Amino acid sequence: MNDTHSTLIRQLCERIAEPDNTPLYLKFAETVKMAVRTGILPPGNILPGERDLSQLTGVSRITVRKAMEMLDEQGVVIRSRGFGTQINDKFEYSLKEAKGFSQQVELRGKKPNTLWVNKSIVKCSDEVAGQLKIPLNSQVFMLKRIRYVDDDPVSIEESYVPVELIKNVDDIGMSLYDYFRSQNIIPQRTKSKVSARMPDVEFQSHIKLDEAVPVLVIKQVVFDHLNRLIEYSVNLCRSDMYVFVSEE
């Protein structure tokens, strides 16, 4: 067993031994996610098998399997028959869930970050007006930021939000959706379109990418719990790091 796995086993045993009512499989899954977030388990690392994890931590194989199934569903690990369980080296982002970038990154045991480029009021273009179902030249907030996963820049995002939905733009921190929720605006569902193009000069200036690698273009509208259109976004994403998932 290598040092990485020895450290993981020690942390698992310590967490499992803590006297609280958290189910064992959740303790197990949370510990693995924290090990991924803190860099103990690097992307691509292959975990010990279920039998070994069970014997080394003193929990049942059923518990280990349930934890791994949960981590698989959340995109933290990739499980394949005959190959084992591997820490996912790509960021899976759900096009169906209206959880926002930061929350989805955290659910997968990774660390999100945001570098703001612009927060300003602009007159909306034909495209933005059509997507948000508002009159042409209506005022909207244009929110532009660079998104990071575990300190790696992965996307450039522009969001357009009707001005009446944001009281103070400076109150928006890393997550726009957290701000929405603080204002009792609950993102509920999304509608997305995905295409691809080659990276342009602006993208390359912020996110260094092999010129032969295409950029994924995600155009998405978000509806709240009252079925209002609350955001239209255009996301330019690294295709070598992103996997987009759309489930029924």
Side-chain angles (χ1 to χ4, degrees):
M1 181 181 300
N2 58 39
D3 291 342
T4 294
H5 293 159
S6 296
T7 301
L8 174 64
I9 296 301
R10 175 177 55 79
Q11 293 182 345
L12 284 167
C13 290
E14 290 174 354
R15 179 67 182 101
I16 289 166
E18 290 179 2
D20 57 54
N21 295 323
T22 305
L24 288 179
Y25 81 94
L26 284 180
K27 288 184 177 183
F28 203 104
E30 289 168 358
T31 303
V32 173
K33 283 200 289 186
M34 183 57 67
V36 173
R37 182 177 299 175
T38 56
I40 292 171
L41 289 174
N45 185 274
I46 298 176
L47 295 176
E50 289 181 1
R51 178 181 300 174
D52 290 336
L53 288 171
S54 172
Q55 293 175 347
L56 292 167
T57 59
V59 300
S60 70
R61 287 189 66 177
I62 294 175
T63 296
V64 175
R65 184 174 297 118
K66 189 172 182 179
M68 290 301 163
E69 288 173 350
M70 177 180 176
L71 292 169
D72 189 13
E73 291 173 359
Q74 294 179 348
V76 179
V77 303
I78 301 172
R79 304 167 75 213
S80 57
R81 187 178 299 276
F83 185 73
T85 301
Q86 181 180 22
I87 301 301
N88 197 350
D89 60 354
K90 292 184 180 289
F91 172 54
E92 291 192 355
Y93 188 91
S94 174
L95 293 174
K96 179 182 179 182
E97 299 175 281
K99 289 182 177 179
F101 175 88
S102 298
Q103 187 177 2
Q104 292 205 49
V105 172
E106 289 174 346
L107 281 172
R108 285 153 178 79
K110 298 179 183 293
K111 182 181 71 175
N113 207 346
T114 295
L115 174 63
W116 284 99
V117 177
N118 196 357
K119 296 179 181 179
S120 61
I121 295 177
V122 299
K123 291 183 178 181
C124 66
S125 63
D126 287 348
E127 179 181 359
V128 174
Q131 294 292 338
L132 290 176
K133 309 300 183 188
I134 57 178
L136 179 64
N137 292 325
S138 296
Q139 290 190 325
V140 293
F141 274 103
M142 193 274 278
L143 309 173
K144 186 172 183 176
R145 63 269 211 201
I146 302 172
R147 298 292 206 172
Y148 291 78
V149 174
D150 290 342
D151 298 322
D152 291 321
V154 297
S155 64
I156 300 175
E157 180 176 331
E158 287 186 9
S159 293
Y160 299 89
V161 179
V163 289
E164 64 270 16
L165 298 182
I166 297 178
K167 294 180 180 179
N168 186 350
V169 72
D170 292 330
D171 289 340
I172 303 174
M174 185 163 58
S175 171
L176 172 61
Y177 284 17
D178 283 350
Y179 173 80
F180 277 153
R181 295 185 186 98
S182 75
Q183 304 299 310
N184 295 315
I185 301 170
I186 312 302
Q188 194 73 36
R189 63 186 180 89
T190 64
K191 183 178 179 181
S192 308
K193 292 183 178 180
V194 182
S195 59
R197 75 180 197 200
M198 300 312 295
D200 58 17
V201 173
E202 182 188 17
F203 191 90
Q204 291 287 47
S205 69
H206 293 294
I207 302 175
K208 303 301 181 184
L209 188 64
D210 189 317
E211 293 184 358
V213 177
V215 173
L216 293 175
V217 181
I218 316 299
K219 296 186 176 183
Q220 179 173 274
V221 291
V222 180
F223 299 82
D224 72 354
H225 61 299
L226 301 176
N227 206 36
R228 294 181 300 177
L229 282 160
I230 60 173
E231 180 197 17
Y232 170 58
S233 64
V234 180
N235 306 316
L236 306 179
C237 309
R238 292 182 57 164
S239 63
D240 61 336
M241 292 188 68
Y242 264 80
V243 174
F244 286 87
V245 181
S246 181
E247 314 96 335
E248 289 299 328

